[in-house]
Amino acid sequence: NAGVMQNPRHLVRRRGQEARLRCSPMKGHSHVYWYRQLPEEGLKFMVYLQKENIIDESGMPKERFSAEFPKEGPSILRIQQVVRGDSAAYFCASSPLTNNEQFFGPGTRLTVL
Amino acid sequence: GIQVEQSPPDLILQEGANSTLRCNFSDSVNNLQWFHQNPWGQLINLFYIPSGTKQNGRLSATTVATERYSLLYISSSQTTDSGVYFCAVERVDSNYQLIWGAGTKLIIKP
């Protein structure tokens, strides 16, 4: 029973490039959440999605960031024209329909040069 | 918005010692989760505990929702317990968004 999967685990991009982060939820989970963690800090909520729907993106910057969770395939967090300040660990979590206990993937560590 | 405060921020103990970590929150919450972030960065679910007491091996947690705090107890610490312990609360007006404390960094020395 696989847990939440994220890839890549590490991603290096130069300023101005695009970053695509992928998340496959646990089997049977239909809710996906993305969080960002800066060094020495707790996680900050970015966006909550269900299949084909963005439920809440209030924590996501209005520009350059977008997220989707298509009917088929993983959820994608996309960062366009990355800047150094985007360097962080990005975690994805999923939860079942029955409650909101969130289970986390291993994270993607994005480094912008 | 809701504030989540964890104490102490840092804790250094010898192997075998017991410890108590605290999480205070400033408003009513639907639920509370405790996580362990190991030195490799992985987040591990410890407890999903809106109220009451739960135990899992050497770890236990108690949440007193009416007084807005939760405690995580670690007994007979092992070096593998090292890492950062986070509590995260689910706001009443948002039944999914987790608000995180800054964590307690625990170092267990052999």
Tab-separated table of all heavy atoms in Angstrom, chain A residues 18-56:
chain	number	residue	atom	x	y	z
A	18	GLU	N	11.037	26.931	-15.733
A	18	GLU	CA	9.801	26.428	-15.142
A	18	GLU	C	10.104	25.212	-14.275
A	18	GLU	O	10.997	24.420	-14.595
A	18	GLU	CB	8.818	26.035	-16.244
A	18	GLU	CG	7.502	25.479	-15.721
A	18	GLU	CD	6.554	25.104	-16.851
A	18	GLU	OE1	5.996	26.022	-17.468
A	18	GLU	OE2	6.388	23.891	-17.101
A	19	ALA	N	9.362	25.082	-13.185
A	19	ALA	CA	9.472	23.893	-12.330
A	19	ALA	C	8.116	23.197	-12.294
A	19	ALA	O	7.079	23.844	-12.124
A	19	ALA	CB	9.888	24.297	-10.922
A	20	ARG	N	8.146	21.885	-12.484
A	20	ARG	CA	6.923	21.070	-12.392
A	20	ARG	C	7.110	20.011	-11.333
A	20	ARG	O	8.022	19.195	-11.434
A	20	ARG	CB	6.623	20.399	-13.733
A	20	ARG	CG	5.922	21.305	-14.709
A	20	ARG	CD	5.547	20.555	-15.972
A	20	ARG	NE	4.886	21.464	-16.881
A	20	ARG	CZ	3.650	21.293	-17.326
A	20	ARG	NH1	2.958	20.219	-16.972
A	20	ARG	NH2	3.109	22.161	-18.145
A	21	LEU	N	6.242	20.032	-10.329
A	21	LEU	CA	6.323	19.100	-9.222
A	21	LEU	C	5.091	18.197	-9.281
A	21	LEU	O	3.970	18.687	-9.465
A	21	LEU	CB	6.353	19.853	-7.893
A	21	LEU	CG	7.628	20.628	-7.509
A	21	LEU	CD1	7.988	21.728	-8.504
A	21	LEU	CD2	7.463	21.221	-6.121
A	22	ARG	N	5.313	16.903	-9.095
A	22	ARG	CA	4.227	15.948	-9.236
A	22	ARG	C	3.905	15.254	-7.919
A	22	ARG	O	4.805	15.009	-7.111
A	22	ARG	CB	4.582	14.881	-10.277
A	22	ARG	CG	4.698	15.424	-11.687
A	22	ARG	CD	5.193	14.385	-12.665
A	22	ARG	NE	5.409	14.965	-13.976
A	22	ARG	CZ	6.472	15.690	-14.296
A	22	ARG	NH1	7.426	15.922	-13.405
A	22	ARG	NH2	6.591	16.192	-15.512
A	23	CYS	N	2.640	14.943	-7.747
A	23	CYS	CA	2.185	14.283	-6.523
A	23	CYS	C	1.114	13.270	-6.851
A	23	CYS	O	0.088	13.612	-7.449
A	23	CYS	CB	1.635	15.318	-5.550
A	23	CYS	SG	0.762	14.609	-4.137
A	24	SER	N	1.334	12.030	-6.428
A	24	SER	CA	0.303	10.999	-6.548
A	24	SER	C	-0.209	10.681	-5.153
A	24	SER	O	0.572	10.263	-4.285
A	24	SER	CB	0.874	9.742	-7.197
A	24	SER	OG	1.281	10.010	-8.517
A	25	PRO	N	-1.489	10.875	-4.894
A	25	PRO	CA	-2.014	10.645	-3.540
A	25	PRO	C	-2.030	9.168	-3.192
A	25	PRO	O	-1.848	8.300	-4.054
A	25	PRO	CB	-3.440	11.198	-3.621
A	25	PRO	CG	-3.808	11.109	-5.063
A	25	PRO	CD	-2.531	11.325	-5.829
A	26	MET	N	-2.262	8.908	-1.919
A	26	MET	CA	-2.430	7.523	-1.473
A	26	MET	C	-3.644	6.921	-2.160
A	26	MET	O	-4.612	7.606	-2.473
A	26	MET	CB	-2.628	7.472	0.045
A	26	MET	CG	-1.362	7.663	0.846
A	26	MET	SD	-1.649	7.641	2.624
A	26	MET	CE	-1.970	5.898	2.872
A	27	LYS	N	-3.606	5.612	-2.331
A	27	LYS	CA	-4.721	4.919	-2.957
A	27	LYS	C	-5.990	5.160	-2.138
A	27	LYS	O	-5.985	5.034	-0.905
A	27	LYS	CB	-4.418	3.422	-3.019
A	27	LYS	CG	-5.421	2.635	-3.825
A	27	LYS	CD	-5.000	1.175	-3.926
A	27	LYS	CE	-6.020	0.381	-4.733
A	27	LYS	NZ	-5.650	-1.051	-4.837
A	28	GLY	N	-7.045	5.536	-2.822
A	28	GLY	CA	-8.316	5.765	-2.148
A	28	GLY	C	-8.510	7.188	-1.647
A	28	GLY	O	-9.587	7.543	-1.169
A	29	HIS	N	-7.453	8.018	-1.748
A	29	HIS	CA	-7.567	9.413	-1.325
A	29	HIS	C	-7.903	10.279	-2.528
A	29	HIS	O	-7.296	10.136	-3.603
A	29	HIS	CB	-6.251	9.902	-0.711
A	29	HIS	CG	-5.969	9.347	0.631
A	29	HIS	ND1	-4.943	9.829	1.418
A	29	HIS	CD2	-6.571	8.367	1.354
A	29	HIS	CE1	-4.929	9.157	2.564
A	29	HIS	NE2	-5.905	8.262	2.537
A	30	SER	N	-8.838	11.224	-2.319
A	30	SER	CA	-9.249	12.072	-3.436
A	30	SER	C	-8.980	13.552	-3.166
A	30	SER	O	-9.366	14.393	-3.966
A	30	SER	CB	-10.734	11.861	-3.731
A	30	SER	OG	-11.482	12.107	-2.564
A	31	HIS	N	-8.358	13.849	-2.028
A	31	HIS	CA	-8.063	15.233	-1.677
A	31	HIS	C	-6.553	15.405	-1.650
A	31	HIS	O	-5.843	14.583	-1.050
A	31	HIS	CB	-8.620	15.579	-0.289
A	31	HIS	CG	-10.097	15.398	-0.171
A	31	HIS	ND1	-10.903	16.342	0.424
A	31	HIS	CD2	-10.918	14.402	-0.550
A	31	HIS	CE1	-12.149	15.929	0.404
A	31	HIS	NE2	-12.195	14.757	-0.170
A	32	VAL	N	-6.090	16.450	-2.285
A	32	VAL	CA	-4.658	16.731	-2.352
A	32	VAL	C	-4.401	18.152	-1.869
A	32	VAL	O	-5.160	19.074	-2.176
A	32	VAL	CB	-4.133	16.544	-3.792
A	32	VAL	CG1	-2.750	17.162	-3.953
A	32	VAL	CG2	-4.084	15.068	-4.159
A	33	TYR	N	-3.317	18.307	-1.117
A	33	TYR	CA	-2.919	19.607	-0.575
A	33	TYR	C	-1.439	19.823	-0.893
A	33	TYR	O	-0.650	18.879	-0.828
A	33	TYR	CB	-3.081	19.634	0.956
A	33	TYR	CG	-4.359	19.027	1.467
A	33	TYR	CD1	-4.481	17.642	1.591
A	33	TYR	CD2	-5.436	19.814	1.833
A	33	TYR	CE1	-5.654	17.062	2.060
A	33	TYR	CE2	-6.610	19.250	2.312
A	33	TYR	CZ	-6.707	17.868	2.416
A	33	TYR	OH	-7.874	17.302	2.874
A	34	TRP	N	-1.104	21.054	-1.185
A	34	TRP	CA	0.304	21.413	-1.377
A	34	TRP	C	0.710	22.420	-0.295
A	34	TRP	O	-0.053	23.365	0.018
A	34	TRP	CB	0.536	22.030	-2.752
A	34	TRP	CG	0.505	21.062	-3.884
A	34	TRP	CD1	-0.566	20.717	-4.664
A	34	TRP	CD2	1.611	20.312	-4.393
A	34	TRP	NE1	-0.202	19.805	-5.618
A	34	TRP	CE2	1.127	19.541	-5.483
A	34	TRP	CE3	2.964	20.214	-4.053
A	34	TRP	CZ2	1.962	18.684	-6.221
A	34	TRP	CZ3	3.773	19.366	-4.788
A	34	TRP	CH2	3.272	18.614	-5.859
A	35	TYR	N	1.911	22.199	0.251
A	35	TYR	CA	2.475	23.082	1.262
A	35	TYR	C	3.902	23.436	0.867
A	35	TYR	O	4.586	22.667	0.190
A	35	TYR	CB	2.523	22.390	2.633
A	35	TYR	CG	1.188	22.113	3.266
A	35	TYR	CD1	0.463	20.977	2.926
A	35	TYR	CD2	0.652	22.971	4.222
A	35	TYR	CE1	-0.768	20.707	3.519
A	35	TYR	CE2	-0.568	22.709	4.826
A	35	TYR	CZ	-1.270	21.578	4.474
A	35	TYR	OH	-2.483	21.321	5.065
A	36	ARG	N	4.359	24.571	1.359
A	36	ARG	CA	5.748	24.977	1.151
A	36	ARG	C	6.422	25.119	2.514
A	36	ARG	O	5.813	25.635	3.472
A	36	ARG	CB	5.803	26.304	0.387
A	36	ARG	CG	7.210	26.820	0.182
A	36	ARG	CD	7.299	27.864	-0.898
A	36	ARG	NE	6.573	29.081	-0.607
A	36	ARG	CZ	6.544	30.145	-1.420
A	36	ARG	NH1	7.219	30.117	-2.563
A	36	ARG	NH2	5.846	31.203	-1.100
A	37	GLN	N	7.662	24.661	2.580
A	37	GLN	CA	8.425	24.784	3.820
A	37	GLN	C	9.751	25.456	3.537
A	37	GLN	O	10.557	24.966	2.738
A	37	GLN	CB	8.674	23.413	4.466
A	37	GLN	CG	9.381	23.519	5.818
A	37	GLN	CD	9.647	22.168	6.443
A	37	GLN	OE1	9.885	21.183	5.756
A	37	GLN	NE2	9.612	22.120	7.767
A	38	LEU	N	9.968	26.581	4.218
A	38	LEU	CA	11.271	27.244	4.170
A	38	LEU	C	12.131	26.689	5.299
A	38	LEU	O	11.595	26.171	6.287
A	38	LEU	CB	11.093	28.760	4.311
A	38	LEU	CG	10.319	29.416	3.162
A	38	LEU	CD1	10.044	30.872	3.464
A	38	LEU	CD2	11.086	29.283	1.856
A	39	PRO	N	13.458	26.796	5.201
A	39	PRO	CA	14.338	26.243	6.249
A	39	PRO	C	13.970	26.766	7.635
A	39	PRO	O	13.673	27.949	7.813
A	39	PRO	CB	15.721	26.731	5.813
A	39	PRO	CG	15.616	26.903	4.342
A	39	PRO	CD	14.220	27.375	4.087
A	40	GLU	N	13.987	25.871	8.595
A	40	GLU	CA	13.758	26.208	10.002
A	40	GLU	C	12.345	26.713	10.280
A	40	GLU	O	12.095	27.376	11.288
A	40	GLU	CB	14.771	27.267	10.498
A	40	GLU	CG	16.223	26.943	10.208
A	40	GLU	CD	16.724	25.719	10.962
A	40	GLU	OE1	16.333	25.535	12.124
A	40	GLU	OE2	17.497	24.927	10.378
A	41	GLU	N	11.414	26.430	9.397
A	41	GLU	CA	10.035	26.881	9.598
A	41	GLU	C	9.054	25.723	9.454
A	41	GLU	O	9.397	24.660	8.926
A	41	GLU	CB	9.675	27.969	8.574
A	41	GLU	CG	10.444	29.264	8.764
A	41	GLU	CD	9.960	30.350	7.821
A	41	GLU	OE1	8.900	30.174	7.183
A	41	GLU	OE2	10.643	31.386	7.722
A	42	GLY	N	7.841	25.954	9.927
A	42	GLY	CA	6.770	25.006	9.683
A	42	GLY	C	6.262	25.136	8.260
A	42	GLY	O	6.706	25.978	7.493
A	43	LEU	N	5.313	24.291	7.917
A	43	LEU	CA	4.777	24.298	6.559
A	43	LEU	C	3.715	25.389	6.404
A	43	LEU	O	3.006	25.726	7.344
A	43	LEU	CB	4.149	22.944	6.229
A	43	LEU	CG	5.108	21.853	5.778
A	43	LEU	CD1	6.048	21.424	6.886
A	43	LEU	CD2	4.334	20.656	5.235
A	44	LYS	N	3.615	25.920	5.194
A	44	LYS	CA	2.600	26.928	4.884
A	44	LYS	C	1.691	26.391	3.795
A	44	LYS	O	2.166	25.945	2.739
A	44	LYS	CB	3.252	28.228	4.401
A	44	LYS	CG	4.125	28.915	5.440
A	44	LYS	CD	3.320	29.587	6.516
A	44	LYS	CE	4.133	30.548	7.368
A	44	LYS	NZ	5.209	29.914	8.110
A	45	PHE	N	0.394	26.434	4.050
A	45	PHE	CA	-0.593	25.953	3.102
A	45	PHE	C	-0.542	26.753	1.808
A	45	PHE	O	-0.416	27.982	1.832
A	45	PHE	CB	-1.984	26.078	3.727
A	45	PHE	CG	-3.128	25.853	2.769
A	45	PHE	CD1	-3.517	24.579	2.423
A	45	PHE	CD2	-3.796	26.935	2.209
A	45	PHE	CE1	-4.575	24.379	1.543
A	45	PHE	CE2	-4.849	26.751	1.337
A	45	PHE	CZ	-5.247	25.467	1.001
A	46	MET	N	-0.644	26.045	0.684
A	46	MET	CA	-0.691	26.725	-0.610
A	46	MET	C	-2.042	26.523	-1.290
A	46	MET	O	-2.744	27.482	-1.611
A	46	MET	CB	0.413	26.211	-1.528
A	46	MET	CG	1.819	26.484	-1.032
A	46	MET	SD	3.063	25.875	-2.174
A	46	MET	CE	2.932	27.074	-3.490
A	47	VAL	N	-2.414	25.255	-1.505
A	47	VAL	CA	-3.606	25.000	-2.303
A	47	VAL	C	-4.194	23.646	-1.935
A	47	VAL	O	-3.473	22.732	-1.520
A	47	VAL	CB	-3.256	25.057	-3.816
A	47	VAL	CG1	-2.224	24.008	-4.188
A	47	VAL	CG2	-4.490	24.944	-4.696
A	48	TYR	N	-5.526	23.556	-2.093
A	48	TYR	CA	-6.262	22.318	-1.821
A	48	TYR	C	-7.054	21.975	-3.072
A	48	TYR	O	-7.785	22.817	-3.605
A	48	TYR	CB	-7.168	22.538	-0.618
A	48	TYR	CG	-8.287	21.538	-0.418
A	48	TYR	CD1	-8.082	20.173	-0.569
A	48	TYR	CD2	-9.543	21.980	-0.021
A	48	TYR	CE1	-9.127	19.275	-0.355
A	48	TYR	CE2	-10.580	21.103	0.208
A	48	TYR	CZ	-10.371	19.754	0.039
A	48	TYR	OH	-11.392	18.879	0.255
A	49	LEU	N	-6.903	20.723	-3.524
A	49	LEU	CA	-7.579	20.320	-4.743
A	49	LEU	C	-8.305	18.998	-4.551
A	49	LEU	O	-7.874	18.153	-3.760
A	49	LEU	CB	-6.565	20.116	-5.885
A	49	LEU	CG	-5.570	21.214	-6.186
A	49	LEU	CD1	-4.185	20.844	-5.678
A	49	LEU	CD2	-5.495	21.475	-7.668
A	50	GLN	N	-9.396	18.857	-5.268
A	50	GLN	CA	-10.014	17.559	-5.490
A	50	GLN	C	-9.930	17.303	-6.988
A	50	GLN	O	-9.568	18.192	-7.752
A	50	GLN	CB	-11.453	17.554	-4.993
A	50	GLN	CG	-11.563	17.748	-3.487
A	50	GLN	CD	-12.998	17.821	-2.997
A	50	GLN	OE1	-13.937	17.510	-3.727
A	50	GLN	NE2	-13.177	18.254	-1.764
A	51	LYS	N	-10.285	16.121	-7.399
A	51	LYS	CA	-10.178	15.778	-8.819
A	51	LYS	C	-10.861	16.839	-9.685
A	51	LYS	O	-12.045	17.125	-9.505
A	51	LYS	CB	-10.833	14.417	-9.081
A	51	LYS	CG	-10.004	13.231	-8.609
A	51	LYS	CD	-8.866	12.915	-9.547
A	51	LYS	CE	-8.154	11.630	-9.160
A	51	LYS	NZ	-7.004	11.354	-10.036
A	52	GLU	N	-10.089	17.433	-10.569
A	52	GLU	CA	-10.566	18.416	-11.546
A	52	GLU	C	-11.094	19.700	-10.910
A	52	GLU	O	-11.720	20.506	-11.603
A	52	GLU	CB	-11.632	17.812	-12.460
A	52	GLU	CG	-11.136	16.603	-13.248
A	52	GLU	CD	-12.183	16.078	-14.212
A	52	GLU	OE1	-13.108	15.378	-13.755
A	52	GLU	OE2	-12.068	16.392	-15.414
A	53	ASN	N	-10.854	19.909	-9.635
A	53	ASN	CA	-11.351	21.118	-8.973
A	53	ASN	C	-10.305	21.707	-8.049
A	53	ASN	O	-9.677	20.982	-7.281
A	53	ASN	CB	-12.580	20.795	-8.112
A	53	ASN	CG	-13.845	20.766	-8.933
A	53	ASN	OD1	-14.121	21.688	-9.697
A	53	ASN	ND2	-14.605	19.706	-8.784
A	54	ILE	N	-10.151	23.021	-8.117
A	54	ILE	CA	-9.365	23.728	-7.118
A	54	ILE	C	-10.342	24.242	-6.074
A	54	ILE	O	-11.228	25.039	-6.376
A	54	ILE	CB	-8.595	24.907	-7.740
A	54	ILE	CG1	-7.584	24.401	-8.761
A	54	ILE	CG2	-7.884	25.708	-6.649
A	54	ILE	CD1	-6.881	25.500	-9.533
A	55	ILE	N	-10.203	23.748	-4.832
A	55	ILE	CA	-11.147	24.114	-3.783
A	55	ILE	C	-10.713	25.408	-3.099
A	55	ILE	O	-11.527	26.272	-2.797
A	55	ILE	CB	-11.281	22.991	-2.740
A	55	ILE	CG1	-11.613	21.659	-3.426
A	55	ILE	CG2	-12.320	23.359	-1.697
A	55	ILE	CD1	-12.877	21.683	-4.256
A	56	ASP	N	-9.424	25.528	-2.836
A	56	ASP	CA	-8.914	26.710	-2.136
A	56	ASP	C	-7.472	26.943	-2.552
A	56	ASP	O	-6.646	26.061	-2.338
A	56	ASP	CB	-9.017	26.503	-0.623
A	56	ASP	CG	-8.545	27.704	0.189
A	56	ASP	OD1	-7.977	28.654	-0.386
A	56	ASP	OD2	-8.721	27.679	1.423
